[in-house]
Amino acid sequence: MPIAYLLLGSNLGDRTATLQAAVAELGRTAGPITAASGLYETAAWGLTEQPAFLNQALEVQTSLSPAQLLAACLAAEQHAGRQRLVRWGSRTLDVDILLYDDLVLDTPTLQLPHPRLPERRFALLPLAEIAANAVHPGLGCTVAELLAECSDELAVTRVTGEPR
Protein backbone atom coordinates (compact mmCIF):
# COMPACT_ATOMS: atom_id res chain seq x y z
CA MET A 1 0.00 0.00 0.00
CA PRO A 2 1.22 3.52 -0.70
CA ILE A 3 2.62 5.65 2.11
CA ALA A 4 1.51 9.27 2.24
CA TYR A 5 2.72 12.02 4.52
CA LEU A 6 0.23 14.66 5.64
CA LEU A 7 0.61 17.91 7.52
CA LEU A 8 -2.18 19.04 9.82
CA GLY A 9 -2.46 22.64 10.97
CA SER A 10 -4.88 24.59 13.15
CA ASN A 11 -4.91 28.12 14.52
CA LEU A 12 -8.52 28.63 15.60
CA GLY A 13 -10.44 27.19 18.55
CA ASP A 14 -9.07 24.30 20.60
CA ARG A 15 -6.18 23.54 18.28
CA THR A 16 -5.05 20.39 20.08
CA ALA A 17 -8.54 18.87 20.16
CA THR A 18 -9.02 19.74 16.49
CA LEU A 19 -5.80 17.95 15.52
CA GLN A 20 -6.70 14.92 17.67
CA ALA A 21 -10.11 14.67 16.03
CA ALA A 22 -8.56 15.02 12.58
CA VAL A 23 -6.06 12.22 13.29
CA ALA A 24 -8.92 9.95 14.35
CA GLU A 25 -11.03 10.83 11.31
CA LEU A 26 -8.15 10.43 8.85
CA GLY A 27 -7.30 7.08 10.43
CA ARG A 28 -10.84 5.96 9.58
CA THR A 29 -11.10 7.51 6.12
CA ALA A 30 -7.59 7.69 4.66
CA GLY A 31 -6.01 4.59 6.17
CA PRO A 32 -4.03 3.53 9.21
CA ILE A 33 -1.87 6.24 10.76
CA THR A 34 1.49 4.48 11.09
CA ALA A 35 3.43 7.43 12.58
CA ALA A 36 2.59 10.82 14.04
CA SER A 37 4.93 13.61 15.07
CA GLY A 38 4.56 15.66 18.21
CA LEU A 39 2.81 19.01 18.02
CA TYR A 40 4.72 22.07 16.85
CA GLU A 41 3.73 25.70 17.30
CA THR A 42 4.59 28.19 14.57
CA ALA A 43 3.79 31.78 13.82
CA ALA A 44 1.58 32.10 10.76
CA TRP A 45 3.33 31.85 7.37
CA GLY A 46 2.22 33.97 4.44
CA LEU A 47 -0.49 36.06 6.07
CA THR A 48 1.24 36.78 9.37
CA GLU A 49 -1.35 38.84 11.29
CA GLN A 50 -3.21 35.88 12.78
CA PRO A 51 -2.90 33.43 15.71
CA ALA A 52 -0.06 30.89 15.85
CA PHE A 53 -0.58 27.46 14.33
CA LEU A 54 -0.20 24.01 15.81
CA ASN A 55 1.14 21.56 13.24
CA GLN A 56 1.55 17.79 13.17
CA ALA A 57 2.87 15.42 10.52
CA LEU A 58 1.28 12.02 9.90
CA GLU A 59 2.39 8.94 8.01
CA VAL A 60 -0.62 7.18 6.49
CA GLN A 61 -0.72 3.77 4.88
CA THR A 62 -3.45 4.30 2.32
CA SER A 63 -5.30 2.34 -0.30
CA LEU A 64 -6.69 5.60 -1.67
CA SER A 65 -5.54 7.20 -4.90
CA PRO A 66 -4.04 10.68 -4.54
CA ALA A 67 -7.36 12.25 -5.63
CA GLN A 68 -9.30 10.12 -3.13
CA LEU A 69 -6.83 11.01 -0.39
CA LEU A 70 -7.25 14.69 -1.19
CA ALA A 71 -11.03 14.24 -0.91
CA ALA A 72 -10.58 12.61 2.53
CA CYS A 73 -8.36 15.52 3.63
CA LEU A 74 -10.89 18.09 2.42
CA ALA A 75 -13.71 16.22 4.16
CA ALA A 76 -11.75 16.29 7.44
CA GLU A 77 -11.29 20.05 7.02
CA GLN A 78 -15.00 20.48 6.37
CA HIS A 79 -15.93 18.40 9.43
CA ALA A 80 -13.72 20.71 11.51
CA GLY A 81 -15.62 23.74 10.22
CA ARG A 82 -12.99 25.00 7.78
CA GLN A 83 -14.05 28.06 5.81
CA ARG A 84 -11.94 29.20 2.86
CA LEU A 85 -12.30 32.97 3.04
CA VAL A 86 -8.74 34.26 2.58
CA ARG A 87 -5.70 32.45 1.14
CA TRP A 88 -3.33 31.51 3.98
CA GLY A 89 -5.88 32.89 6.46
CA SER A 90 -6.86 31.54 9.86
CA ARG A 91 -8.47 28.12 9.84
CA THR A 92 -9.83 25.50 12.18
CA LEU A 93 -8.04 22.78 10.20
CA ASP A 94 -5.75 22.55 7.22
CA VAL A 95 -4.63 19.18 5.86
CA ASP A 96 -1.93 19.09 3.19
CA ILE A 97 -0.57 16.06 1.36
CA LEU A 98 3.20 16.54 1.49
CA LEU A 99 4.38 13.31 -0.16
CA TYR A 100 2.64 10.30 -1.69
CA ASP A 101 5.14 7.46 -2.16
CA ASP A 102 7.55 8.54 -4.91
CA LEU A 103 4.82 10.10 -7.01
CA VAL A 104 5.30 13.36 -8.88
CA LEU A 105 1.94 14.76 -9.97
CA ASP A 106 0.85 18.13 -11.33
CA THR A 107 -2.88 18.56 -11.93
CA PRO A 108 -5.13 21.61 -11.53
CA THR A 109 -6.32 20.29 -8.14
CA LEU A 110 -3.26 18.51 -6.70
CA GLN A 111 0.51 18.86 -6.89
CA LEU A 112 2.75 16.19 -5.40
CA PRO A 113 5.08 16.54 -3.68
CA HIS A 114 3.62 19.64 -2.07
CA PRO A 115 5.16 22.46 -4.11
CA ARG A 116 6.18 24.60 -1.12
CA LEU A 117 7.47 21.82 1.14
CA PRO A 118 11.18 22.70 0.70
CA GLU A 119 10.61 26.30 1.84
CA ARG A 120 8.47 25.64 4.92
CA ARG A 121 10.25 24.80 8.17
CA PHE A 122 6.87 24.32 9.91
CA ALA A 123 6.21 21.36 7.57
CA LEU A 124 9.75 19.97 7.36
CA LEU A 125 10.46 19.83 11.10
CA PRO A 126 7.51 17.61 12.11
CA LEU A 127 7.94 15.57 8.93
CA ALA A 128 11.63 15.02 9.70
CA GLU A 129 10.63 13.72 13.15
CA ILE A 130 8.78 10.78 11.58
CA ALA A 131 10.35 10.47 8.10
CA ALA A 132 13.80 12.08 8.02
CA ASN A 133 14.98 9.60 5.38
CA ALA A 134 11.97 9.92 3.08
CA VAL A 135 13.12 11.14 -0.32
CA HIS A 136 11.53 14.06 -2.11
CA PRO A 137 10.95 12.48 -5.53
CA GLY A 138 11.21 15.73 -7.45
CA LEU A 139 14.46 16.87 -5.84
CA GLY A 140 16.11 13.54 -4.99
CA CYS A 141 17.08 14.53 -1.45
CA THR A 142 15.83 13.45 1.96
CA VAL A 143 13.52 15.38 4.24
CA ALA A 144 16.47 15.81 6.64
CA GLU A 145 18.53 17.35 3.82
CA LEU A 146 15.66 19.66 2.87
CA LEU A 147 15.37 20.77 6.50
CA ALA A 148 19.11 21.43 6.75
CA GLU A 149 18.96 23.58 3.60
CA CYS A 150 15.67 25.36 4.39
CA SER A 151 16.07 29.14 4.48
CA ASP A 152 12.75 29.73 6.32
CA GLU A 153 13.63 31.47 9.58
CA LEU A 154 10.18 31.24 11.16
CA ALA A 155 10.49 29.80 14.67
CA VAL A 156 9.02 26.31 15.03
CA THR A 157 8.74 25.00 18.60
CA ARG A 158 7.88 21.44 19.62
CA VAL A 159 5.24 21.77 22.31
CA THR A 160 4.03 18.27 23.10
CA GLY A 161 3.91 14.62 22.30
CA GLU A 162 6.30 11.84 21.54
CA PRO A 163 6.36 10.52 18.02
CA ARG A 164 4.61 7.21 17.49
Side-chain angles (χ1 to χ4, degrees), residues 3-8 19-20 22-24 26-27 32-40 55-61 125-131 158 160-164:
I3 298 294
Y5 293 97
L6 309 178
L7 182 71
L8 310 182
L19 294 183
Q20 289 171 341
V23 170
L26 289 164
I33 307 298
T34 51
S37 74
L39 301 181
Y40 289 79
N55 293 105
Q56 182 176 35
L58 303 178
E59 179 183 85
V60 181
Q61 191 174 30
L125 200 55
L127 182 59
E129 184 178 310
I130 61 170
R158 191 170 195 278
T160 186
E162 292 301 318
R164 61 174 183 92

Side-chain angles (χ1 to χ4, degrees), residues 71-155:
C73 293
L74 293 174
E77 290 178 353
Q78 186 175 11
H79 288 139
R82 167 87 186 256
Q83 295 182 355
R84 295 178 182 272
L85 304 174
V86 177
R87 185 173 189 199
W88 295 326
S90 294
R91 62 208 81 148
T92 52
L93 180 65
D94 185 43
V95 183
D96 289 330
I97 304 171
L98 301 177
L99 300 168
Y100 184 101
D101 266 351
D102 60 355
L103 184 64
V104 176
L105 180 70
D106 189 0
T107 72
T109 56
L110 181 60
Q111 292 178 291
L112 295 171
H114 190 287
R116 288 173 294 284
L117 176 60
E119 62 196 53
R120 292 180 169 176
R121 183 172 303 283
F122 70 84
L124 289 168
L125 200 55
L127 182 59
E129 184 178 310
I130 61 170
N133 293 321
V135 175
H136 185 292
L139 301 175
C141 51
T142 67
V143 170
E145 291 167 335
L146 288 173
L147 179 58
E149 306 252 336
C150 183
S151 62
D152 180 7
E153 295 181 2
L154 211 58

